Amino acid sequence: MSRLLDKRLLFVTGKGGVGKSTITAALALKAARDGKRTLVCEVRSHERISALLGQPPVGPEIKRLEPNLDAVDIETSAAFREYALMKLKFQAVYKVVFENRLMKYALRAIPSIAEIVTLGKIVYHLGEKQNGRNRWDLILVDAPATGHALTLLRTPQTILDSVPAGAMADEMQHILDVFRDPKESGVVLVTLPEEMPVNETIELDRELARTVPLERSAVVLNGDLPFRFAPLELEAMQARRNDPALRPGIEAAEAYQRRSDLAAKYVEKLRAEVKQPLARVPFRFVRTFDRAVVESISYDLAVVA
């Protein structure tokens, strides 16, 4: 398997609330630090990447965040306008065709139009050239949460099965060809060491294997709680548990140990059910979750990136 960041297109997804935007931002920092010209695309979300990196919102136009790192928030109507202008070439024609009330209503009724436009824009940027070479070495997609991500990634095959030969079928086939190349693209699954996120990750891995021709490239266990205390240390704490001065600290240590034991159980379950490389990102006990924290997480990901 090639290194994760040697691919050119990576989707990052997982159950809502597991920290996939944080992991996307950390991967983006590592890629940029490694000298890769990187574009981060946020999809169907409130912008979070720019804030995590201490930058103002970027909006639907590509903006530079720092050297080697740009970002864009893919908003469907703006992406559709950009896509239509690419095809029609002239803004006046676009306005006549698409900016009338009846056409806007008709477009909203087309199934999967948001997914088609979103994937079309991402794959367009993948093929962009600048000074004779790829404009981007890597595109990272902060994809929607599990269910919506599956819908998004299944769209090319669904459309291809539904439309006759023609321009739309050709575009969907091109996206599927990109998906099918494991050197070109993959998906990163993000989870937490908890029952529901782990179960959902296992189910997502199976559904992707069954319905989407994308390599599941890695799993990131975010908020991990590694062992901190040796058995002898735990025994020593237990022996002094009745000391009033030490008791609060000992209870905190025991609570941590219980959660750590639970995390270890879910790591074991993930390793048994999901065969992709696993990166464990320790929980950060910090008052402020800022760019410095994201930067530190980017180093934790070196094991898969």
Side-chain angles (χ1 to χ4, degrees), residues 205-242:
D205 181 67
R206 289 173 183 162
E207 282 300 301
L208 284 169
R210 195 174 67 81
T211 61
V212 180
L214 259 176
E215 179 191 84
R216 289 102 62 225
S217 305
V219 177
V220 175
L221 184 73
N222 191 25
D224 190 19
L225 294 164
F227 291 124
R228 283 193 172 183
F229 306 108
L232 286 177
E233 291 173 314
L234 291 171
E235 285 179 19
M237 283 192 279
Q238 186 63 32
R240 304 191 65 179
R241 203 169 190 279
N242 292 328

PDB file of all heavy atoms in Angstrom, residues 205-242:
ATOM      1  N   ASP A 205     -17.225   0.674   6.821  1.00  0.00           N
ATOM      2  CA  ASP A 205     -16.170  -0.030   6.088  1.00  0.00           C
ATOM      3  C   ASP A 205     -16.778  -1.129   5.213  1.00  0.00           C
ATOM      4  O   ASP A 205     -16.400  -1.282   4.046  1.00  0.00           O
ATOM      5  CB  ASP A 205     -15.181  -0.634   7.096  1.00  0.00           C
ATOM      6  CG  ASP A 205     -14.040  -1.361   6.413  1.00  0.00           C
ATOM      7  OD1 ASP A 205     -13.231  -0.696   5.748  1.00  0.00           O
ATOM      8  OD2 ASP A 205     -13.974  -2.593   6.545  1.00  0.00           O
ATOM      9  N   ARG A 206     -17.738  -1.867   5.753  1.00  0.00           N
ATOM     10  CA  ARG A 206     -18.373  -2.946   4.972  1.00  0.00           C
ATOM     11  C   ARG A 206     -19.178  -2.382   3.800  1.00  0.00           C
ATOM     12  O   ARG A 206     -19.129  -2.907   2.687  1.00  0.00           O
ATOM     13  CB  ARG A 206     -19.293  -3.764   5.883  1.00  0.00           C
ATOM     14  CG  ARG A 206     -18.540  -4.619   6.892  1.00  0.00           C
ATOM     15  CD  ARG A 206     -19.493  -5.266   7.866  1.00  0.00           C
ATOM     16  NE  ARG A 206     -18.763  -6.029   8.871  1.00  0.00           N
ATOM     17  CZ  ARG A 206     -19.272  -6.410  10.029  1.00  0.00           C
ATOM     18  NH1 ARG A 206     -20.525  -6.104  10.339  1.00  0.00           N
ATOM     19  NH2 ARG A 206     -18.542  -7.105  10.885  1.00  0.00           N
ATOM     20  N   GLU A 207     -19.935  -1.302   4.054  1.00  0.00           N
ATOM     21  CA  GLU A 207     -20.760  -0.726   2.995  1.00  0.00           C
ATOM     22  C   GLU A 207     -19.901  -0.122   1.883  1.00  0.00           C
ATOM     23  O   GLU A 207     -20.224  -0.233   0.703  1.00  0.00           O
ATOM     24  CB  GLU A 207     -21.691   0.347   3.576  1.00  0.00           C
ATOM     25  CG  GLU A 207     -22.893  -0.230   4.286  1.00  0.00           C
ATOM     26  CD  GLU A 207     -23.744  -1.087   3.348  1.00  0.00           C
ATOM     27  OE1 GLU A 207     -24.215  -0.563   2.341  1.00  0.00           O
ATOM     28  OE2 GLU A 207     -23.898  -2.281   3.621  1.00  0.00           O
ATOM     29  N   LEU A 208     -18.791   0.526   2.267  1.00  0.00           N
ATOM     30  CA  LEU A 208     -17.891   1.070   1.240  1.00  0.00           C
ATOM     31  C   LEU A 208     -17.306  -0.068   0.403  1.00  0.00           C
ATOM     32  O   LEU A 208     -17.235   0.034  -0.828  1.00  0.00           O
ATOM     33  CB  LEU A 208     -16.769   1.865   1.904  1.00  0.00           C
ATOM     34  CG  LEU A 208     -17.148   3.250   2.440  1.00  0.00           C
ATOM     35  CD1 LEU A 208     -16.029   3.813   3.309  1.00  0.00           C
ATOM     36  CD2 LEU A 208     -17.429   4.222   1.284  1.00  0.00           C
ATOM     37  N   ALA A 209     -16.901  -1.152   1.065  1.00  0.00           N
ATOM     38  CA  ALA A 209     -16.328  -2.289   0.335  1.00  0.00           C
ATOM     39  C   ALA A 209     -17.349  -2.875  -0.637  1.00  0.00           C
ATOM     40  O   ALA A 209     -17.013  -3.329  -1.728  1.00  0.00           O
ATOM     41  CB  ALA A 209     -15.864  -3.357   1.321  1.00  0.00           C
ATOM     42  N   ARG A 210     -18.617  -2.835  -0.239  1.00  0.00           N
ATOM     43  CA  ARG A 210     -19.667  -3.469  -1.040  1.00  0.00           C
ATOM     44  C   ARG A 210     -20.154  -2.579  -2.184  1.00  0.00           C
ATOM     45  O   ARG A 210     -20.518  -3.085  -3.244  1.00  0.00           O
ATOM     46  CB  ARG A 210     -20.844  -3.808  -0.114  1.00  0.00           C
ATOM     47  CG  ARG A 210     -21.863  -4.762  -0.686  1.00  0.00           C
ATOM     48  CD  ARG A 210     -22.884  -5.134   0.377  1.00  0.00           C
ATOM     49  NE  ARG A 210     -23.703  -4.009   0.778  1.00  0.00           N
ATOM     50  CZ  ARG A 210     -24.761  -3.579   0.094  1.00  0.00           C
ATOM     51  NH1 ARG A 210     -25.138  -4.194  -1.005  1.00  0.00           N
ATOM     52  NH2 ARG A 210     -25.450  -2.542   0.529  1.00  0.00           N
ATOM     53  N   THR A 211     -20.129  -1.251  -2.000  1.00  0.00           N
ATOM     54  CA  THR A 211     -20.833  -0.395  -2.959  1.00  0.00           C
ATOM     55  C   THR A 211     -19.993   0.719  -3.591  1.00  0.00           C
ATOM     56  O   THR A 211     -20.469   1.361  -4.528  1.00  0.00           O
ATOM     57  CB  THR A 211     -22.053   0.267  -2.281  1.00  0.00           C
ATOM     58  OG1 THR A 211     -21.604   1.093  -1.187  1.00  0.00           O
ATOM     59  CG2 THR A 211     -23.018  -0.773  -1.753  1.00  0.00           C
ATOM     60  N   VAL A 212     -18.800   0.977  -3.095  1.00  0.00           N
ATOM     61  CA  VAL A 212     -18.002   2.106  -3.625  1.00  0.00           C
ATOM     62  C   VAL A 212     -16.599   1.606  -3.972  1.00  0.00           C
ATOM     63  O   VAL A 212     -15.927   1.033  -3.113  1.00  0.00           O
ATOM     64  CB  VAL A 212     -17.902   3.256  -2.600  1.00  0.00           C
ATOM     65  CG1 VAL A 212     -17.079   4.408  -3.173  1.00  0.00           C
ATOM     66  CG2 VAL A 212     -19.289   3.749  -2.207  1.00  0.00           C
ATOM     67  N   PRO A 213     -16.132   1.824  -5.205  1.00  0.00           N
ATOM     68  CA  PRO A 213     -14.820   1.297  -5.596  1.00  0.00           C
ATOM     69  C   PRO A 213     -13.652   2.172  -5.152  1.00  0.00           C
ATOM     70  O   PRO A 213     -12.751   2.459  -5.925  1.00  0.00           O
ATOM     71  CB  PRO A 213     -14.925   1.259  -7.124  1.00  0.00           C
ATOM     72  CG  PRO A 213     -15.825   2.395  -7.455  1.00  0.00           C
ATOM     73  CD  PRO A 213     -16.836   2.478  -6.328  1.00  0.00           C
ATOM     74  N   LEU A 214     -13.699   2.623  -3.895  1.00  0.00           N
ATOM     75  CA  LEU A 214     -12.614   3.435  -3.336  1.00  0.00           C
ATOM     76  C   LEU A 214     -11.838   2.599  -2.323  1.00  0.00           C
ATOM     77  O   LEU A 214     -12.443   1.877  -1.535  1.00  0.00           O
ATOM     78  CB  LEU A 214     -13.198   4.630  -2.578  1.00  0.00           C
ATOM     79  CG  LEU A 214     -13.233   6.003  -3.218  1.00  0.00           C
ATOM     80  CD1 LEU A 214     -13.957   6.967  -2.283  1.00  0.00           C
ATOM     81  CD2 LEU A 214     -11.861   6.531  -3.545  1.00  0.00           C
ATOM     82  N   GLU A 215     -10.519   2.729  -2.338  1.00  0.00           N
ATOM     83  CA  GLU A 215      -9.725   2.042  -1.322  1.00  0.00           C
ATOM     84  C   GLU A 215     -10.004   2.648   0.050  1.00  0.00           C
ATOM     85  O   GLU A 215      -9.950   3.863   0.208  1.00  0.00           O
ATOM     86  CB  GLU A 215      -8.241   2.183  -1.631  1.00  0.00           C
ATOM     87  CG  GLU A 215      -7.359   1.502  -0.584  1.00  0.00           C
ATOM     88  CD  GLU A 215      -5.899   1.882  -0.762  1.00  0.00           C
ATOM     89  OE1 GLU A 215      -5.497   2.956  -0.251  1.00  0.00           O
ATOM     90  OE2 GLU A 215      -5.172   1.111  -1.407  1.00  0.00           O
ATOM     91  N   ARG A 216     -10.334   1.802   1.044  1.00  0.00           N
ATOM     92  CA  ARG A 216     -10.382   2.290   2.426  1.00  0.00           C
ATOM     93  C   ARG A 216      -8.946   2.270   2.902  1.00  0.00           C
ATOM     94  O   ARG A 216      -8.374   1.212   3.135  1.00  0.00           O
ATOM     95  CB  ARG A 216     -11.279   1.413   3.292  1.00  0.00           C
ATOM     96  CG  ARG A 216     -12.776   1.586   2.943  1.00  0.00           C
ATOM     97  CD  ARG A 216     -13.309   0.473   2.115  1.00  0.00           C
ATOM     98  NE  ARG A 216     -13.219  -0.776   2.831  1.00  0.00           N
ATOM     99  CZ  ARG A 216     -12.774  -1.912   2.278  1.00  0.00           C
ATOM    100  NH1 ARG A 216     -12.365  -1.933   1.018  1.00  0.00           N
ATOM    101  NH2 ARG A 216     -12.747  -3.025   2.977  1.00  0.00           N
ATOM    102  N   SER A 217      -8.359   3.464   3.016  1.00  0.00           N
ATOM    103  CA  SER A 217      -6.902   3.552   3.140  1.00  0.00           C
ATOM    104  C   SER A 217      -6.396   3.521   4.572  1.00  0.00           C
ATOM    105  O   SER A 217      -5.274   3.080   4.817  1.00  0.00           O
ATOM    106  CB  SER A 217      -6.403   4.835   2.467  1.00  0.00           C
ATOM    107  OG  SER A 217      -6.837   4.881   1.125  1.00  0.00           O
ATOM    108  N   ALA A 218      -7.176   4.014   5.520  1.00  0.00           N
ATOM    109  CA  ALA A 218      -6.711   4.063   6.911  1.00  0.00           C
ATOM    110  C   ALA A 218      -7.892   4.332   7.828  1.00  0.00           C
ATOM    111  O   ALA A 218      -8.926   4.843   7.408  1.00  0.00           O
ATOM    112  CB  ALA A 218      -5.658   5.157   7.086  1.00  0.00           C
ATOM    113  N   VAL A 219      -7.701   3.967   9.091  1.00  0.00           N
ATOM    114  CA  VAL A 219      -8.658   4.309  10.146  1.00  0.00           C
ATOM    115  C   VAL A 219      -7.922   5.155  11.176  1.00  0.00           C
ATOM    116  O   VAL A 219      -6.790   4.827  11.547  1.00  0.00           O
ATOM    117  CB  VAL A 219      -9.230   3.043  10.820  1.00  0.00           C
ATOM    118  CG1 VAL A 219     -10.175   3.419  11.959  1.00  0.00           C
ATOM    119  CG2 VAL A 219      -9.946   2.174   9.800  1.00  0.00           C
ATOM    120  N   VAL A 220      -8.543   6.237  11.602  1.00  0.00           N
ATOM    121  CA  VAL A 220      -7.953   7.080  12.642  1.00  0.00           C
ATOM    122  C   VAL A 220      -8.828   7.000  13.882  1.00  0.00           C
ATOM    123  O   VAL A 220     -10.023   7.315  13.846  1.00  0.00           O
ATOM    124  CB  VAL A 220      -7.841   8.547  12.184  1.00  0.00           C
ATOM    125  CG1 VAL A 220      -7.326   9.418  13.334  1.00  0.00           C
ATOM    126  CG2 VAL A 220      -6.915   8.664  10.974  1.00  0.00           C
ATOM    127  N   LEU A 221      -8.239   6.520  14.973  1.00  0.00           N
ATOM    128  CA  LEU A 221      -8.940   6.476  16.258  1.00  0.00           C
ATOM    129  C   LEU A 221      -8.624   7.773  16.990  1.00  0.00           C
ATOM    130  O   LEU A 221      -7.529   7.949  17.529  1.00  0.00           O
ATOM    131  CB  LEU A 221      -8.485   5.267  17.074  1.00  0.00           C
ATOM    132  CG  LEU A 221      -9.236   5.073  18.386  1.00  0.00           C
ATOM    133  CD1 LEU A 221     -10.650   4.573  18.142  1.00  0.00           C
ATOM    134  CD2 LEU A 221      -8.495   4.094  19.300  1.00  0.00           C
ATOM    135  N   ASN A 222      -9.576   8.689  16.979  1.00  0.00           N
ATOM    136  CA  ASN A 222      -9.375  10.007  17.576  1.00  0.00           C
ATOM    137  C   ASN A 222      -9.779   9.966  19.056  1.00  0.00           C
ATOM    138  O   ASN A 222     -10.683   9.234  19.441  1.00  0.00           O
ATOM    139  CB  ASN A 222     -10.240  11.019  16.815  1.00  0.00           C
ATOM    140  CG  ASN A 222      -9.908  12.444  17.180  1.00  0.00           C
ATOM    141  OD1 ASN A 222      -8.799  12.751  17.606  1.00  0.00           O
ATOM    142  ND2 ASN A 222     -10.860  13.338  16.996  1.00  0.00           N
ATOM    143  N   GLY A 223      -9.109  10.746  19.877  1.00  0.00           N
ATOM    144  CA  GLY A 223      -9.462  10.788  21.303  1.00  0.00           C
ATOM    145  C   GLY A 223      -9.112   9.513  22.039  1.00  0.00           C
ATOM    146  O   GLY A 223      -9.795   9.130  22.997  1.00  0.00           O
ATOM    147  N   ASP A 224      -8.054   8.845  21.610  1.00  0.00           N
ATOM    148  CA  ASP A 224      -7.631   7.591  22.262  1.00  0.00           C
ATOM    149  C   ASP A 224      -7.129   7.878  23.684  1.00  0.00           C
ATOM    150  O   ASP A 224      -6.663   8.982  23.980  1.00  0.00           O
ATOM    151  CB  ASP A 224      -6.506   6.962  21.419  1.00  0.00           C
ATOM    152  CG  ASP A 224      -6.174   5.554  21.878  1.00  0.00           C
ATOM    153  OD1 ASP A 224      -7.014   4.939  22.560  1.00  0.00           O
ATOM    154  OD2 ASP A 224      -5.074   5.076  21.550  1.00  0.00           O
ATOM    155  N   LEU A 225      -7.250   6.873  24.522  1.00  0.00           N
ATOM    156  CA  LEU A 225      -6.780   7.008  25.915  1.00  0.00           C
ATOM    157  C   LEU A 225      -5.808   5.879  26.198  1.00  0.00           C
ATOM    158  O   LEU A 225      -6.191   4.824  26.715  1.00  0.00           O
ATOM    159  CB  LEU A 225      -7.973   6.967  26.871  1.00  0.00           C
ATOM    160  CG  LEU A 225      -8.937   8.155  26.739  1.00  0.00           C
ATOM    161  CD1 LEU A 225     -10.265   7.838  27.410  1.00  0.00           C
ATOM    162  CD2 LEU A 225      -8.323   9.411  27.347  1.00  0.00           C
ATOM    163  N   PRO A 226      -4.537   6.050  25.853  1.00  0.00           N
ATOM    164  CA  PRO A 226      -3.553   4.974  26.054  1.00  0.00           C
ATOM    165  C   PRO A 226      -3.314   4.709  27.537  1.00  0.00           C
ATOM    166  O   PRO A 226      -3.568   5.554  28.389  1.00  0.00           O
ATOM    167  CB  PRO A 226      -2.292   5.523  25.373  1.00  0.00           C
ATOM    168  CG  PRO A 226      -2.478   6.995  25.329  1.00  0.00           C
ATOM    169  CD  PRO A 226      -3.951   7.260  25.269  1.00  0.00           C
ATOM    170  N   PHE A 227      -2.790   3.502  27.824  1.00  0.00           N
ATOM    171  CA  PHE A 227      -2.466   3.154  29.216  1.00  0.00           C
ATOM    172  C   PHE A 227      -1.441   4.134  29.778  1.00  0.00           C
ATOM    173  O   PHE A 227      -0.465   4.483  29.109  1.00  0.00           O
ATOM    174  CB  PHE A 227      -1.892   1.735  29.285  1.00  0.00           C
ATOM    175  CG  PHE A 227      -2.915   0.681  28.986  1.00  0.00           C
ATOM    176  CD1 PHE A 227      -2.698  -0.238  27.974  1.00  0.00           C
ATOM    177  CD2 PHE A 227      -4.092   0.598  29.708  1.00  0.00           C
ATOM    178  CE1 PHE A 227      -3.632  -1.219  27.699  1.00  0.00           C
ATOM    179  CE2 PHE A 227      -5.037  -0.381  29.437  1.00  0.00           C
ATOM    180  CZ  PHE A 227      -4.804  -1.286  28.433  1.00  0.00           C
ATOM    181  N   ARG A 228      -1.655   4.559  31.029  1.00  0.00           N
ATOM    182  CA  ARG A 228      -0.699   5.468  31.668  1.00  0.00           C
ATOM    183  C   ARG A 228      -0.073   4.861  32.912  1.00  0.00           C
ATOM    184  O   ARG A 228       0.962   5.310  33.366  1.00  0.00           O
ATOM    185  CB  ARG A 228      -1.403   6.775  32.065  1.00  0.00           C
ATOM    186  CG  ARG A 228      -1.646   7.697  30.903  1.00  0.00           C
ATOM    187  CD  ARG A 228      -2.048   9.057  31.388  1.00  0.00           C
ATOM    188  NE  ARG A 228      -2.112   9.997  30.281  1.00  0.00           N
ATOM    189  CZ  ARG A 228      -2.387  11.286  30.424  1.00  0.00           C
ATOM    190  NH1 ARG A 228      -2.610  11.769  31.618  1.00  0.00           N
ATOM    191  NH2 ARG A 228      -2.423  12.073  29.386  1.00  0.00           N
ATOM    192  N   PHE A 229      -0.760   3.879  33.498  1.00  0.00           N
ATOM    193  CA  PHE A 229      -0.301   3.376  34.790  1.00  0.00           C
ATOM    194  C   PHE A 229       0.043   1.898  34.686  1.00  0.00           C
ATOM    195  O   PHE A 229      -0.742   1.107  34.142  1.00  0.00           O
ATOM    196  CB  PHE A 229      -1.386   3.582  35.850  1.00  0.00           C
ATOM    197  CG  PHE A 229      -1.850   5.003  35.944  1.00  0.00           C
ATOM    198  CD1 PHE A 229      -3.116   5.368  35.480  1.00  0.00           C
ATOM    199  CD2 PHE A 229      -1.023   5.992  36.461  1.00  0.00           C
ATOM    200  CE1 PHE A 229      -3.554   6.683  35.560  1.00  0.00           C
ATOM    201  CE2 PHE A 229      -1.449   7.311  36.531  1.00  0.00           C
ATOM    202  CZ  PHE A 229      -2.720   7.655  36.077  1.00  0.00           C
ATOM    203  N   ALA A 230       1.200   1.544  35.213  1.00  0.00           N
ATOM    204  CA  ALA A 230       1.590   0.138  35.274  1.00  0.00           C
ATOM    205  C   ALA A 230       0.794  -0.548  36.390  1.00  0.00           C
ATOM    206  O   ALA A 230       0.324   0.121  37.325  1.00  0.00           O
ATOM    207  CB  ALA A 230       3.084   0.028  35.554  1.00  0.00           C
ATOM    208  N   PRO A 231       0.633  -1.889  36.342  1.00  0.00           N
ATOM    209  CA  PRO A 231      -0.120  -2.598  37.393  1.00  0.00           C
ATOM    210  C   PRO A 231       0.387  -2.287  38.808  1.00  0.00           C
ATOM    211  O   PRO A 231      -0.416  -2.109  39.729  1.00  0.00           O
ATOM    212  CB  PRO A 231       0.095  -4.070  37.012  1.00  0.00           C
ATOM    213  CG  PRO A 231       0.283  -4.051  35.525  1.00  0.00           C
ATOM    214  CD  PRO A 231       1.029  -2.796  35.245  1.00  0.00           C
ATOM    215  N   LEU A 232       1.703  -2.192  38.965  1.00  0.00           N
ATOM    216  CA  LEU A 232       2.238  -1.903  40.306  1.00  0.00           C
ATOM    217  C   LEU A 232       1.830  -0.504  40.773  1.00  0.00           C
ATOM    218  O   LEU A 232       1.562  -0.295  41.964  1.00  0.00           O
ATOM    219  CB  LEU A 232       3.765  -2.033  40.304  1.00  0.00           C
ATOM    220  CG  LEU A 232       4.305  -3.465  40.266  1.00  0.00           C
ATOM    221  CD1 LEU A 232       5.835  -3.456  40.193  1.00  0.00           C
ATOM    222  CD2 LEU A 232       3.851  -4.231  41.520  1.00  0.00           C
ATOM    223  N   GLU A 233       1.766   0.438  39.829  1.00  0.00           N
ATOM    224  CA  GLU A 233       1.336   1.797  40.189  1.00  0.00           C
ATOM    225  C   GLU A 233      -0.129   1.798  40.618  1.00  0.00           C
ATOM    226  O   GLU A 233      -0.516   2.482  41.579  1.00  0.00           O
ATOM    227  CB  GLU A 233       1.550   2.738  39.004  1.00  0.00           C
ATOM    228  CG  GLU A 233       3.015   3.006  38.679  1.00  0.00           C
ATOM    229  CD  GLU A 233       3.184   3.812  37.405  1.00  0.00           C
ATOM    230  OE1 GLU A 233       2.521   3.475  36.394  1.00  0.00           O
ATOM    231  OE2 GLU A 233       3.985   4.765  37.423  1.00  0.00           O
ATOM    232  N   LEU A 234      -0.964   1.030  39.918  1.00  0.00           N
ATOM    233  CA  LEU A 234      -2.381   0.954  40.286  1.00  0.00           C
ATOM    234  C   LEU A 234      -2.549   0.313  41.660  1.00  0.00           C
ATOM    235  O   LEU A 234      -3.377   0.754  42.470  1.00  0.00           O
ATOM    236  CB  LEU A 234      -3.153   0.154  39.219  1.00  0.00           C
ATOM    237  CG  LEU A 234      -3.281   0.839  37.848  1.00  0.00           C
ATOM    238  CD1 LEU A 234      -3.853  -0.130  36.816  1.00  0.00           C
ATOM    239  CD2 LEU A 234      -4.181   2.079  37.947  1.00  0.00           C
ATOM    240  N   GLU A 235      -1.748  -0.708  41.942  1.00  0.00           N
ATOM    241  CA  GLU A 235      -1.809  -1.359  43.261  1.00  0.00           C
ATOM    242  C   GLU A 235      -1.395  -0.377  44.361  1.00  0.00           C
ATOM    243  O   GLU A 235      -2.011  -0.319  45.435  1.00  0.00           O
ATOM    244  CB  GLU A 235      -0.887  -2.575  43.291  1.00  0.00           C
ATOM    245  CG  GLU A 235      -1.434  -3.771  42.525  1.00  0.00           C
ATOM    246  CD  GLU A 235      -0.464  -4.948  42.565  1.00  0.00           C
ATOM    247  OE1 GLU A 235       0.403  -4.952  43.457  1.00  0.00           O
ATOM    248  OE2 GLU A 235      -0.572  -5.824  41.700  1.00  0.00           O
ATOM    249  N   ALA A 236      -0.362   0.410  44.090  1.00  0.00           N
ATOM    250  CA  ALA A 236       0.117   1.391  45.080  1.00  0.00           C
ATOM    251  C   ALA A 236      -0.954   2.438  45.357  1.00  0.00           C
ATOM    252  O   ALA A 236      -1.170   2.849  46.513  1.00  0.00           O
ATOM    253  CB  ALA A 236       1.401   2.040  44.576  1.00  0.00           C
ATOM    254  N   MET A 237      -1.643   2.865  44.285  1.00  0.00           N
ATOM    255  CA  MET A 237      -2.705   3.862  44.464  1.00  0.00           C
ATOM    256  C   MET A 237      -3.850   3.279  45.285  1.00  0.00           C
ATOM    257  O   MET A 237      -4.421   3.934  46.160  1.00  0.00           O
ATOM    258  CB  MET A 237      -3.213   4.336  43.097  1.00  0.00           C
ATOM    259  CG  MET A 237      -2.289   5.325  42.408  1.00  0.00           C
ATOM    260  SD  MET A 237      -3.037   6.123  40.990  1.00  0.00           S
ATOM    261  CE  MET A 237      -2.800   4.868  39.752  1.00  0.00           C
ATOM    262  N   GLN A 238      -4.204   2.013  44.988  1.00  0.00           N
ATOM    263  CA  GLN A 238      -5.293   1.358  45.714  1.00  0.00           C
ATOM    264  C   GLN A 238      -4.979   1.274  47.212  1.00  0.00           C
ATOM    265  O   GLN A 238      -5.855   1.473  48.057  1.00  0.00           O
ATOM    266  CB  GLN A 238      -5.518  -0.046  45.123  1.00  0.00           C
ATOM    267  CG  GLN A 238      -6.713  -0.784  45.682  1.00  0.00           C
ATOM    268  CD  GLN A 238      -8.023  -0.076  45.378  1.00  0.00           C
ATOM    269  OE1 GLN A 238      -8.163   0.570  44.353  1.00  0.00           O
ATOM    270  NE2 GLN A 238      -8.975  -0.172  46.300  1.00  0.00           N
ATOM    271  N   ALA A 239      -3.702   1.017  47.508  1.00  0.00           N
ATOM    272  CA  ALA A 239      -3.286   0.876  48.902  1.00  0.00           C
ATOM    273  C   ALA A 239      -3.414   2.191  49.676  1.00  0.00           C
ATOM    274  O   ALA A 239      -3.579   2.181  50.900  1.00  0.00           O
ATOM    275  CB  ALA A 239      -1.845   0.366  48.963  1.00  0.00           C
ATOM    276  N   ARG A 240      -3.349   3.324  48.979  1.00  0.00           N
ATOM    277  CA  ARG A 240      -3.391   4.623  49.660  1.00  0.00           C
ATOM    278  C   ARG A 240      -4.700   5.367  49.376  1.00  0.00           C
ATOM    279  O   ARG A 240      -4.806   6.566  49.562  1.00  0.00           O
ATOM    280  CB  ARG A 240      -2.195   5.463  49.229  1.00  0.00           C
ATOM    281  CG  ARG A 240      -0.867   4.761  49.470  1.00  0.00           C
ATOM    282  CD  ARG A 240       0.291   5.684  49.287  1.00  0.00           C
ATOM    283  NE  ARG A 240       0.296   6.756  50.283  1.00  0.00           N
ATOM    284  CZ  ARG A 240       1.226   7.697  50.352  1.00  0.00           C
ATOM    285  NH1 ARG A 240       2.217   7.694  49.483  1.00  0.00           N
ATOM    286  NH2 ARG A 240       1.163   8.646  51.251  1.00  0.00           N
ATOM    287  N   ARG A 241      -5.699   4.615  48.964  1.00  0.00           N
ATOM    288  CA  ARG A 241      -6.963   5.229  48.540  1.00  0.00           C
ATOM    289  C   ARG A 241      -7.685   5.941  49.686  1.00  0.00           C
ATOM    290  O   ARG A 241      -8.467   6.865  49.472  1.00  0.00           O
ATOM    291  CB  ARG A 241      -7.867   4.141  47.957  1.00  0.00           C
ATOM    292  CG  ARG A 241      -8.924   4.668  47.003  1.00  0.00           C
ATOM    293  CD  ARG A 241      -9.605   3.533  46.266  1.00  0.00           C
ATOM    294  NE  ARG A 241     -10.443   4.056  45.197  1.00  0.00           N
ATOM    295  CZ  ARG A 241     -11.651   4.536  45.384  1.00  0.00           C
ATOM    296  NH1 ARG A 241     -12.155   4.569  46.586  1.00  0.00           N
ATOM    297  NH2 ARG A 241     -12.350   5.021  44.357  1.00  0.00           N
ATOM    298  N   ASN A 242      -7.447   5.502  50.914  1.00  0.00           N
ATOM    299  CA  ASN A 242      -8.143   6.107  52.058  1.00  0.00           C
ATOM    300  C   ASN A 242      -7.450   7.359  52.599  1.00  0.00           C
ATOM    301  O   ASN A 242      -7.919   7.951  53.574  1.00  0.00           O
ATOM    302  CB  ASN A 242      -8.296   5.074  53.185  1.00  0.00           C
ATOM    303  CG  ASN A 242      -9.251   3.968  52.785  1.00  0.00           C
ATOM    304  OD1 ASN A 242     -10.207   4.213  52.031  1.00  0.00           O
ATOM    305  ND2 ASN A 242      -8.999   2.751  53.261  1.00  0.00           N
TER     306      ASN A 242
END
